[in-house]
Amino acid sequence: TQSTWGFRIWWCACLVHTHPLSMHLRGALLVVASMALAIRAAKTSIFVSPSGSDVSGDGSMSNPFASVVRAQTAVRRINVGMNDDIFVYLREGQYFLDSTVDLTPADNGFNGFRVRYEAYNGEEVLLHGGVQVTGWRQVPGSNIWTAPLPAGISDTRQVYINGDRMQPTNTGAGIPGTVTITSDGYTTTDPLNTYFAPNQDPSDIEYLYTGVGSSWTECRVRVAAVSRNQGITRITMEQPAFQLARNRFYGQGVDKPASVSNIYALLGASSPGKYYFNTAQRTIYYVPRAKDNMTSAVVIVPKTEVLLRATGQQDADRPVANLTFHGLTFAYAGWLEPNQGLGYVDLQSGFRMLPSSTANDTTWVPVPGNVQFHTAEFINITNCTFAHLGATALMVDQGSQNIVIQSNIFTDVSGGGVYVGQVNDVNVTDPTRENSHFLIDDNLFDGIPVEYRDCAAILGGFMLDTNITHNSILNTPNTGISLGWGWSRDQAQNAGWNNILANYVYGSNWLLEDGGSLYVLGPQPYSTMGSNYVSNQKKLFGALYTDEGSAYWHITLNVINDCPEWLHIWTESIHDELVDFCWSNQQYQDVHGTRIVIKNITFIDPGAPFPPAAQAIISAAGTVAMAGPKP
């Protein structure tokens, strides 16, 4: 049956991606998958096109629907009795989503078959959560251009011009003058003339606390008001964000900011590609780059925050299930909560402190996903692109199982690329509530996160039977892969049997410190970190970093190139780990765990070539597209 084939393919994938010869076995797996797909009758197809009609269209290729939601309605009429996969083919173009596409168990594939939302014949399909900003005019006597936000949009944190994300102005330094911290903000002897400049609203200014309070975080808090009196400038900060940031747990409260963002007076000839946004005016002020023609530029700001949300019924054991999303681009979604009094008060890896949070990390809240799956099973997300997004690209949690995230591209994302699992229940005993059997494979994470820069490119909470394999993670400002986050030092019921294999992480931790290219937490029995290639990590700590409470990892056959520390097992709460058969051209390590065995490690002189066995691992690591030698 189709369901039996699906199980066999999944199990083969798990075996292939945990086997040392996985690269050689991939072709065989694809053949098996192709054979399975061939054993089907004629398929049911529904067509959607931006030029179609939800009124007069019938969903045929010649008379398509216009929207995904209309196709969803058509699927619901036939899926319960389906005897083959249903293909929803999206034709080329942009699909503007004024609201979230919500899927429920009523949208499932049934009878062992799938509903497949796919780009037709490889066409470029964009699920678009933004709106265009028009009406640009040049401010007389300056190189600044300005335009109002479109009707119905009152705020934004992102501005995209011709497909490029622009950045707000930034001082690159903190508050000038002699600064004193007060109960509600700061005072300074500097007059802060830029805060009082024409067109500047002080409440639009945002303070960045990069590495302040803790070296692995970057809080963001907005100014509420600024006043002057007798040579002293008083800065009142937005609440409750400032109090949260000042009182972060474990003595990690912030003091003075590292830089100041969104200053109008910084716009000028030396700031091409920078903008200032005035919330009260609902107006963008921008200095064009040499290549920008503002009379014809396509300028986009986000409108929708969640493009697609699939939600099962966890209490009723009714997951959203048997869905495939293939070849689609998800883009131009935002996230405005940091502008609404809460700021961005991060504690680690995108987990934030809210007024309801306690020192118990299970009460911390992650950056939400612009694409979300909650209580989902047998979901395939393949060959998709996640770009120009204002939160975490993809979130899959709340008892989700048998999920494939494969051959996707994640670029220009404010937060992390993939967040899976959850941290708010360390001892799940109901198997239906476990997050398990994930395959995160052959994905490219390029230069993310770009705004909430403490996030990891791939973040997993308490996970079972999860394979993170053959991903390429390039130039992330903090940690590349983080698995087991949740700070359990005791054996969790729902963490273990995980594999981090054959990934390529290059240039991580270029901004923040006390992360690692590959980072794990908590006991995860029968787990392996192997055949990975880590290169050019910029800051401490270890390229291979097992943090507090980590246990039962086998760390083997990894290659470490040009990193400040190759291995970090820094405290006695880390226990029962075996590290063997690795290569590194940096000998520095910090090993103070309990019952840690390290053997057969080969240290290479800096600049010397790695031996053939290590070169083979380097060549095989990362995505298929990056196979071969790499820096």
Side-chain angles (χ1 to χ4, degrees), residues 425-484:
D425 193 344
V426 68
N427 285 314
V428 168
T429 57
D430 180 353
T432 66
R433 293 178 177 268
E434 294 171 346
N435 294 282
S436 67
H437 295 90
F438 279 64
L439 176 64
I440 303 172
D441 174 74
D442 192 41
N443 302 287
L444 171 62
F445 301 83
D446 188 5
I448 66 168
V450 299
E451 186 174 0
Y452 309 113
R453 296 184 292 183
D454 68 308
C455 294
I458 301 174
L459 174 66
F462 298 122
M463 304 293 298
L464 281 168
D465 293 292
T466 290
N467 290 278
I468 303 175
T469 60
H470 286 286
N471 300 286
S472 292
I473 301 171
L474 311 179
N475 300 310
T476 182
N478 196 21
T479 293
I481 298 173
S482 175
L483 183 60

Side-chain angles (χ1 to χ4, degrees), residues 105 312-320 375 377 399 401 430-433:
Q313 299 171 0
Q314 190 173 46
D315 291 339
D317 192 19
R318 290 190 65 212
V320 60
T375 313
E377 287 189 2
Q401 301 176 5
D430 180 353
T432 66
R433 293 178 177 268

Side-chain angles (χ1 to χ4, degrees), residues 12-13 15-32:
C12 287
L15 289 176
V16 165
H17 290 281
T18 56
H19 194 282
L21 300 178
S22 62
M23 290 294 290
H24 302 284
L25 297 177
R26 278 186 170 186
L29 174 60
L30 292 175
V31 170
V32 173

Side-chain angles (χ1 to χ4, degrees), residues 134-343:
T134 58
W136 288 93
R137 62 179 181 83
Q138 190 168 8
V139 176
S142 78
N143 63 343
I144 300 172
W145 287 69
T146 183
L149 292 183
I153 307 294
S154 61
D155 200 359
T156 189
R157 289 189 63 88
Q158 293 86 35
V159 177
Y160 303 94
I161 297 183
N162 294 331
D164 297 330
R165 179 189 296 241
M166 300 297 102
Q167 295 294 337
T169 58
N170 190 293
T171 63
I175 306 167
T178 301
V179 179
T180 301
I181 303 173
T182 67
S183 62
D184 60 359
Y186 306 92
T187 62
T188 179
T189 56
D190 192 277
L192 295 182
N193 292 327
T194 58
Y195 289 33
F196 294 91
N199 291 318
Q200 178 71 59
D201 186 337
S203 65
D204 293 324
I205 296 169
E206 186 171 78
Y207 285 178
L208 278 67
Y209 299 84
T210 309
V212 177
S214 55
S215 61
W216 58 89
T217 62
E218 187 179 48
C219 291
R220 292 170 174 260
V221 181
R222 291 187 127 188
V223 170
V226 183
S227 61
R228 292 169 174 161
N229 184 30
Q230 298 181 344
I232 298 296
T233 306
R234 177 174 292 277
I235 306 163
T236 303
M237 299 298 292
E238 191 171 47
Q239 302 294 352
F242 184 67
Q243 287 302 319
L244 290 171
R246 286 284 291 148
N247 294 286
R248 288 194 305 178
F249 305 120
Y250 310 117
Q252 296 171 12
V254 304
D255 44 48
K256 301 169 188 176
S259 64
V260 180
S261 178
N262 206 32
I263 300 288
Y264 176 85
L266 294 180
L267 293 174
S270 62
S271 60
K274 302 293 184 182
Y275 73 89
Y276 161 70
F277 177 66
N278 186 303
T279 306
Q281 298 176 6
R282 298 179 48 257
T283 297
I284 301 168
Y285 296 85
Y286 174 67
V287 177
R289 303 163 295 177
K291 66 180 182 179
D292 294 329
N293 179 348
M294 297 311 295
T295 62
S296 60
V298 177
V299 182
I300 302 294
V301 295
K303 178 181 180 181
T304 305
E305 294 197 353
V306 180
L307 299 172
L308 173 71
R309 178 173 50 221
T311 308
Q313 299 171 0
Q314 190 173 46
D315 291 339
D317 192 19
R318 290 190 65 212
V320 60
N322 302 321
L323 301 174
T324 293
F325 302 86
H326 181 81
L328 311 176
T329 294
F330 299 91
Y332 299 114
W335 179 50
L336 288 174
E337 187 175 281
N339 288 8
Q340 298 166 354
L342 293 173

Side-chain angles (χ1 to χ4, degrees), residues 451-524:
E451 186 174 0
Y452 309 113
R453 296 184 292 183
D454 68 308
C455 294
I458 301 174
L459 174 66
F462 298 122
M463 304 293 298
L464 281 168
D465 293 292
T466 290
N467 290 278
I468 303 175
T469 60
H470 286 286
N471 300 286
S472 292
I473 301 171
L474 311 179
N475 300 310
T476 182
N478 196 21
T479 293
I481 298 173
S482 175
L483 183 60
W485 198 92
W487 291 101
S488 171
R489 292 168 179 80
D490 301 319
Q491 178 58 53
Q493 298 296 316
N494 53 337
W497 291 266
N498 299 318
N499 297 290
I500 301 173
L501 300 176
N503 299 283
Y504 173 44
V505 184
Y506 178 87
S508 74
N509 297 93
W510 60 262
L511 177 70
L512 299 175
E513 193 170 285
D514 198 357
S517 294
L518 305 177
Y519 173 96
V520 297
L521 268 173
Q524 299 183 56

Side-chain angles (χ1 to χ4, degrees), residues 56-105:
S56 60
D58 60 11
S60 64
M61 178 181 282
S62 60
N63 192 17
F65 298 131
S67 70
V68 176
V69 171
R70 179 63 183 87
Q72 175 189 14
T73 300
V75 168
R76 288 183 174 184
R77 293 174 178 169
I78 59 175
N79 59 338
V80 173
M82 62 195 292
N83 57 14
D84 184 27
D85 289 356
I86 297 172
F87 286 76
V88 178
Y89 283 125
L90 280 70
R91 301 303 307 269
E92 185 164 351
Q94 301 182 74
Y95 297 81
F96 292 94
L97 303 180
D98 290 331
S99 59
T100 303
V101 176
D102 271 305
L103 303 177
T104 73

